[in-house]
PDB file of all heavy atoms in Angstrom:
ATOM      1  N   VAL A 201     -60.064  17.599  11.468  1.00  0.00           N
ATOM      2  CA  VAL A 201     -59.683  16.241  11.811  1.00  0.00           C
ATOM      3  C   VAL A 201     -59.560  15.425  10.523  1.00  0.00           C
ATOM      4  O   VAL A 201     -60.292  15.693   9.557  1.00  0.00           O
ATOM      5  CB  VAL A 201     -60.688  15.586  12.804  1.00  0.00           C
ATOM      6  CG1 VAL A 201     -62.062  15.430  12.137  1.00  0.00           C
ATOM      7  CG2 VAL A 201     -60.169  14.263  13.320  1.00  0.00           C
ATOM      8  N   ILE A 202     -58.631  14.460  10.552  1.00  0.00           N
ATOM      9  CA  ILE A 202     -58.529  13.475   9.483  1.00  0.00           C
ATOM     10  C   ILE A 202     -58.801  12.105  10.052  1.00  0.00           C
ATOM     11  O   ILE A 202     -58.304  11.775  11.142  1.00  0.00           O
ATOM     12  CB  ILE A 202     -57.169  13.538   8.766  1.00  0.00           C
ATOM     13  CG1 ILE A 202     -57.089  12.554   7.613  1.00  0.00           C
ATOM     14  CG2 ILE A 202     -56.041  13.329   9.768  1.00  0.00           C
ATOM     15  CD1 ILE A 202     -55.869  12.741   6.740  1.00  0.00           C
ATOM     16  N   MET A 203     -59.661  11.354   9.367  1.00  0.00           N
ATOM     17  CA  MET A 203     -60.094  10.024   9.905  1.00  0.00           C
ATOM     18  C   MET A 203     -59.734   8.969   8.902  1.00  0.00           C
ATOM     19  O   MET A 203     -60.048   9.101   7.694  1.00  0.00           O
ATOM     20  CB  MET A 203     -61.587  10.013  10.155  1.00  0.00           C
ATOM     21  CG  MET A 203     -62.027  10.951  11.301  1.00  0.00           C
ATOM     22  SD  MET A 203     -63.746  11.381  11.113  1.00  0.00           S
ATOM     23  CE  MET A 203     -63.687  12.517   9.725  1.00  0.00           C
ATOM     24  N   LEU A 204     -59.141   7.881   9.403  1.00  0.00           N
ATOM     25  CA  LEU A 204     -58.774   6.737   8.587  1.00  0.00           C
ATOM     26  C   LEU A 204     -59.550   5.527   9.100  1.00  0.00           C
ATOM     27  O   LEU A 204     -59.369   5.099  10.227  1.00  0.00           O
ATOM     28  CB  LEU A 204     -57.256   6.461   8.676  1.00  0.00           C
ATOM     29  CG  LEU A 204     -56.735   5.332   7.817  1.00  0.00           C
ATOM     30  CD1 LEU A 204     -56.913   5.610   6.321  1.00  0.00           C
ATOM     31  CD2 LEU A 204     -55.257   5.115   8.084  1.00  0.00           C
ATOM     32  N   ASN A 205     -60.502   5.012   8.304  1.00  0.00           N
ATOM     33  CA  ASN A 205     -61.317   3.870   8.684  1.00  0.00           C
ATOM     34  C   ASN A 205     -60.692   2.588   8.181  1.00  0.00           C
ATOM     35  O   ASN A 205     -60.522   2.409   6.976  1.00  0.00           O
ATOM     36  CB  ASN A 205     -62.737   4.031   8.126  1.00  0.00           C
ATOM     37  CG  ASN A 205     -63.451   5.212   8.709  1.00  0.00           C
ATOM     38  OD1 ASN A 205     -63.475   5.411   9.910  1.00  0.00           O
ATOM     39  ND2 ASN A 205     -64.041   6.051   7.863  1.00  0.00           N
ATOM     40  N   ILE A 206     -60.293   1.723   9.106  1.00  0.00           N
ATOM     41  CA  ILE A 206     -59.581   0.469   8.788  1.00  0.00           C
ATOM     42  C   ILE A 206     -60.571  -0.706   8.907  1.00  0.00           C
ATOM     43  O   ILE A 206     -61.333  -0.779   9.847  1.00  0.00           O
ATOM     44  CB  ILE A 206     -58.388   0.280   9.736  1.00  0.00           C
ATOM     45  CG1 ILE A 206     -57.443   1.466   9.733  1.00  0.00           C
ATOM     46  CG2 ILE A 206     -57.617  -1.006   9.379  1.00  0.00           C
ATOM     47  CD1 ILE A 206     -56.815   1.761   8.392  1.00  0.00           C
ATOM     48  N   LYS A 207     -60.476  -1.620   7.975  1.00  0.00           N
ATOM     49  CA  LYS A 207     -61.306  -2.807   7.992  1.00  0.00           C
ATOM     50  C   LYS A 207     -60.811  -3.717   9.112  1.00  0.00           C
ATOM     51  O   LYS A 207     -59.699  -4.183   9.093  1.00  0.00           O
ATOM     52  CB  LYS A 207     -61.248  -3.560   6.669  1.00  0.00           C
ATOM     53  CG  LYS A 207     -61.775  -2.738   5.493  1.00  0.00           C
ATOM     54  CD  LYS A 207     -61.570  -3.481   4.181  1.00  0.00           C
ATOM     55  CE  LYS A 207     -62.003  -2.622   2.982  1.00  0.00           C
ATOM     56  NZ  LYS A 207     -61.779  -3.328   1.678  1.00  0.00           N
ATOM     57  N   THR A 208     -61.691  -3.992  10.076  1.00  0.00           N
ATOM     58  CA  THR A 208     -61.257  -4.848  11.209  1.00  0.00           C
ATOM     59  C   THR A 208     -61.024  -6.294  10.782  1.00  0.00           C
ATOM     60  O   THR A 208     -60.230  -7.000  11.391  1.00  0.00           O
ATOM     61  CB  THR A 208     -62.339  -4.826  12.298  1.00  0.00           C
ATOM     62  OG1 THR A 208     -63.615  -5.182  11.771  1.00  0.00           O
ATOM     63  CG2 THR A 208     -62.426  -3.401  12.938  1.00  0.00           C
ATOM     64  N   ASP A 209     -61.762  -6.749   9.727  1.00  0.00           N
ATOM     65  CA  ASP A 209     -61.556  -8.104   9.314  1.00  0.00           C
ATOM     66  C   ASP A 209     -60.147  -8.303   8.741  1.00  0.00           C
ATOM     67  O   ASP A 209     -59.554  -9.375   8.829  1.00  0.00           O
ATOM     68  CB  ASP A 209     -62.597  -8.575   8.294  1.00  0.00           C
ATOM     69  CG  ASP A 209     -62.639  -7.651   7.081  1.00  0.00           C
ATOM     70  OD1 ASP A 209     -61.948  -6.608   7.083  1.00  0.00           O
ATOM     71  OD2 ASP A 209     -63.364  -7.972   6.112  1.00  0.00           O
ATOM     72  N   TYR A 210     -59.535  -7.263   8.154  1.00  0.00           N
ATOM     73  CA  TYR A 210     -58.169  -7.325   7.659  1.00  0.00           C
ATOM     74  C   TYR A 210     -57.186  -7.467   8.851  1.00  0.00           C
ATOM     75  O   TYR A 210     -56.248  -8.253   8.797  1.00  0.00           O
ATOM     76  CB  TYR A 210     -57.816  -6.081   6.851  1.00  0.00           C
ATOM     77  CG  TYR A 210     -56.455  -6.115   6.198  1.00  0.00           C
ATOM     78  CD1 TYR A 210     -56.323  -6.690   4.927  1.00  0.00           C
ATOM     79  CD2 TYR A 210     -55.315  -5.669   6.843  1.00  0.00           C
ATOM     80  CE1 TYR A 210     -55.060  -6.756   4.314  1.00  0.00           C
ATOM     81  CE2 TYR A 210     -54.069  -5.736   6.254  1.00  0.00           C
ATOM     82  CZ  TYR A 210     -53.966  -6.284   4.979  1.00  0.00           C
ATOM     83  OH  TYR A 210     -52.722  -6.366   4.391  1.00  0.00           O
ATOM     84  N   MET A 211     -57.446  -6.741   9.904  1.00  0.00           N
ATOM     85  CA  MET A 211     -56.594  -6.841  11.080  1.00  0.00           C
ATOM     86  C   MET A 211     -56.743  -8.214  11.738  1.00  0.00           C
ATOM     87  O   MET A 211     -55.755  -8.755  12.289  1.00  0.00           O
ATOM     88  CB  MET A 211     -56.941  -5.725  12.097  1.00  0.00           C
ATOM     89  CG  MET A 211     -56.696  -4.326  11.512  1.00  0.00           C
ATOM     90  SD  MET A 211     -57.048  -3.029  12.684  1.00  0.00           S
ATOM     91  CE  MET A 211     -55.709  -3.254  13.878  1.00  0.00           C
ATOM     92  N   GLU A 212     -57.953  -8.765  11.726  1.00  0.00           N
ATOM     93  CA  GLU A 212     -58.142 -10.116  12.238  1.00  0.00           C
ATOM     94  C   GLU A 212     -57.354 -11.153  11.431  1.00  0.00           C
ATOM     95  O   GLU A 212     -56.832 -12.121  11.963  1.00  0.00           O
ATOM     96  CB  GLU A 212     -59.623 -10.459  12.243  1.00  0.00           C
ATOM     97  CG  GLU A 212     -60.419  -9.668  13.310  1.00  0.00           C
ATOM     98  CD  GLU A 212     -61.928  -9.908  13.176  1.00  0.00           C
ATOM     99  OE1 GLU A 212     -62.322 -10.666  12.250  1.00  0.00           O
ATOM    100  OE2 GLU A 212     -62.678  -9.363  13.991  1.00  0.00           O
TER     101      GLU A 212
END
Side-chain angles (χ1 to χ4, degrees):
V201 66
I202 181 170
M203 293 157 288
L204 183 64
N205 295 311
I206 306 298
K207 299 175 183 178
T208 55
D209 57 352
Y210 186 89
M211 299 182 69
E212 289 173 358

